[in-house]
Amino acid sequence: NLTYARGTAYGAVDSPTAQRIDVAAVLFRVTGWAPDGIELVVLAVVLVTSVLLVRRLDRASPVADLLTCLAVVVCVVHQPGDVLIAVPATAVVAVLWWRHRSEPGWGTAGLAVLAVAVPFAHLYTVDSALVTLFGPRVAVTVDGLAVVFAWCASSCAAVRLSGSRLAPPIAAGGGG
């Protein structure tokens, strides 16, 4: 994936126009800085962090599933449409958020769900407005920022929920 991406102007980490949503490309588009080897560093940091957090959660937790899916799309070259892999987990986390929204930790999980929805809402009209108002670089950065934020929010939710029994598996989720 990285070898192919480096060989294309569209997929290169330092492309200001590529619709990449991984941390390395978002970091470049926000800061203009792309150190050598950043993709491998991001891969290691995101995967290790995610594995440690998923291990703290109940393995049947939809929050763990969402965190895993988001880790995959933010640590290696991906496009906004690749967030489709997170849709089932996002839907279940949204339902659980609704059931537990007043409980600690679930607000952050709700923010992750909203952020995952950004690439789906960022259609032609929204994109045209962003290009007109802020320019093409901002328009191609919005989805990546949202997905990276979703990973960060789901990581924070995992930390908060792992200390309690509020991250129920689907079968035990909610009763009532």
Side-chain angles (χ1 to χ4, degrees):
N1 194 325
L2 293 174
T3 303
Y4 174 78
R6 281 191 198 102
T8 66
Y10 181 78
V13 72
D14 58 354
S15 171
T17 60
Q19 286 255 339
R20 284 179 50 175
I21 59 171
D22 53 285
V23 175
V26 170
L27 176 69
F28 171 77
R29 284 197 305 274
V30 170
T31 66
W33 178 64
D36 290 337
I38 187 68
E39 286 122 333
L40 293 176
V41 171
V42 166
L43 176 69
V45 169
V46 169
L47 289 182
V48 167
T49 301
S50 298
V51 165
L52 293 174
L53 291 172
V54 165
R55 289 184 69 166
R56 289 177 62 174
L57 288 166
D58 180 342
R59 292 227 166 68
S61 169
V63 174
D65 295 342
L66 179 59
L67 180 60
T68 301
C69 291
L70 291 174
V72 169
V73 295
V74 300
C75 71
V76 182
V77 179
H78 281 284
Q79 308 302 316
D82 295 339
V83 177
L84 283 171
I85 69 167
V87 168
T90 302
V92 175
V93 171
V95 169
L96 289 173
W97 167 81
W98 183 254
R99 289 181 180 174
H100 300 283
R101 64 189 176 275
S102 63
E103 298 171 15
W106 283 100
T108 312
L111 288 174
V113 167
L114 285 175
V116 170
V118 169
F120 302 109
H122 187 182
L123 302 172
Y124 177 77
T125 305
V126 173
D127 189 57
S128 296
L130 288 172
V131 169
T132 301
L133 293 171
F134 304 108
R137 188 170 184 152
V138 170
V140 297
T141 305
V142 167
D143 292 334
L145 279 174
V147 175
V148 170
F149 176 80
W151 176 78
C152 292
S154 62
S155 295
C156 291
V159 168
R160 296 197 65 198
L161 295 173
S162 67
S164 67
R165 287 296 186 204
L166 294 176
I170 294 172

